[in-house]
């Protein structure tokens, strides 16, 4: 039965604790919370006032912006007219410069191609000479395996040298 009906001592101490906590909150907690709520309300009111002022300034700025935009359109028309006049002169100069540059590039390309061609021919000659020496070396090795063949080759070479003198 003690679970459903608390004893009077427990009820007394719980009530006393409740009232002490309520007093402390009433004395120290609630004023702070109330002050914070009021400060927040004042901040929101000030923000709303500033937003209203900003809207008014925005409306004035939009009116000024329209007049500035009209002036800008007039200046744009004038600038476009001047740009059209100078564009033709610049295009003509650019075309002439492009013709000259194209001719120079063609000449440079022709010279580069000629140099590459000469380098390729020289490289091919070098490779052919290297291959010829390697083939001759392999042929000589296969033909000169024994001493008799070596002596016959030496004799032939000596005969060729003496006939050429």
């Amino acid at each position: 039965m003690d679970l459903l009906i608390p004893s009077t001592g427990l009820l007394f101490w719980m009530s006393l604790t409740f009232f002490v906590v309520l007093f402390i909150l009433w004395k120290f907690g609630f004023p702070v919370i109330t002050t914070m709520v009021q400060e927040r309300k004042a901040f929101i009111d000030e923000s709303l006032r500033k937003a209203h002022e900003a809207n008014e300034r925005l409306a004035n700025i939009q009116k000024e912006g329209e007049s500035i935009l009209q002036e800008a359109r007039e200046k744009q028309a004038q600038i476009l007219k001047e740009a059209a006049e100078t564009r033709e002169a610049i295009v003509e100069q650019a075309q002439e410069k492009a013709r000259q540059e194209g001719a120079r590039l063609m000449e440079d390309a022709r010279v580069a191609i000629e140099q590459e061609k000469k380098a390729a021919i020289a490289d091919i000659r070098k490779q052919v000479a290297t291959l010829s020496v390697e083939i001759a070396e392999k042929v000589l090795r296969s033909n000169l395996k024994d001493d008799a063949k070596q002596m016959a080759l030496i004799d032939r070479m000596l005969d060729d040298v003496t006939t050429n003198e």
Side-chain angles (χ1 to χ4, degrees):
M1 244 358 202
D2 284 339
L3 290 175
L4 298 176
I5 303 172
S7 65
T8 55
L10 180 63
L11 193 58
F12 170 75
W13 286 112
M14 286 177 54
S15 299
L16 181 66
T17 305
F18 174 76
F19 286 118
V20 168
V21 170
L22 182 65
F23 174 75
I24 291 172
L25 284 175
W26 194 270
K27 185 75 172 167
F28 300 107
F30 293 141
V32 172
I33 293 171
T34 306
T35 304
M36 287 174 53
V37 168
Q38 288 174 352
E39 287 174 358
R40 180 70 179 160
K41 181 185 178 295
F43 176 75
I44 291 171
D45 289 342
E46 180 67 19
S47 296
L48 288 173
R49 186 186 60 77
K50 286 180 181 179
H52 181 68
E53 289 176 1
N55 282 338
E56 289 176 357
R57 280 188 280 172
L58 181 62
N60 290 336
I61 289 173
Q62 285 176 341
K63 289 178 185 175
E64 291 175 11
E66 290 174 4
S67 66
I68 291 172
L69 185 61
Q70 182 62 31
E71 289 177 22
R73 286 181 183 145
E74 292 171 2
K75 286 183 182 179
Q76 179 186 14
Q78 180 183 359
I79 290 171
L80 287 174
K81 182 180 176 184
E82 292 172 2
E85 293 170 356
T86 56
R87 179 189 62 202
E88 292 177 11
I90 291 172
V91 167
E92 184 60 35
Q93 289 174 353
Q95 287 175 345
E96 182 59 32
K97 189 174 181 180
R99 283 187 208 107
Q100 293 172 354
E101 185 68 17
R104 185 188 64 79
L105 289 175
M106 289 295 288
E107 182 61 25
D108 290 349
R110 188 188 61 73
V111 169
I113 290 171
E114 188 64 31
Q115 289 174 349
E116 288 292 324
K117 180 181 169 185
K118 288 179 183 177
I121 289 173
D123 187 44
I124 290 172
R125 284 183 181 166
K126 180 180 175 184
Q127 289 178 4
V128 166
T130 303
L131 286 174
S132 297
V133 169
E134 288 176 3
I135 290 171
E137 182 182 347
K138 288 180 182 179
V139 167
L140 283 176
R141 280 188 188 166
S142 68
N143 287 339
L144 300 177
K145 287 186 179 177
D146 60 11
D147 289 339
K149 288 183 180 180
Q150 289 178 7
M151 290 306 291
L153 178 65
I154 291 172
D155 288 339
R156 256 187 290 140
M157 289 182 145
L158 287 175
D159 287 341
D160 287 344
V161 168
T162 56
T163 58
N164 286 337
E165 290 178 356

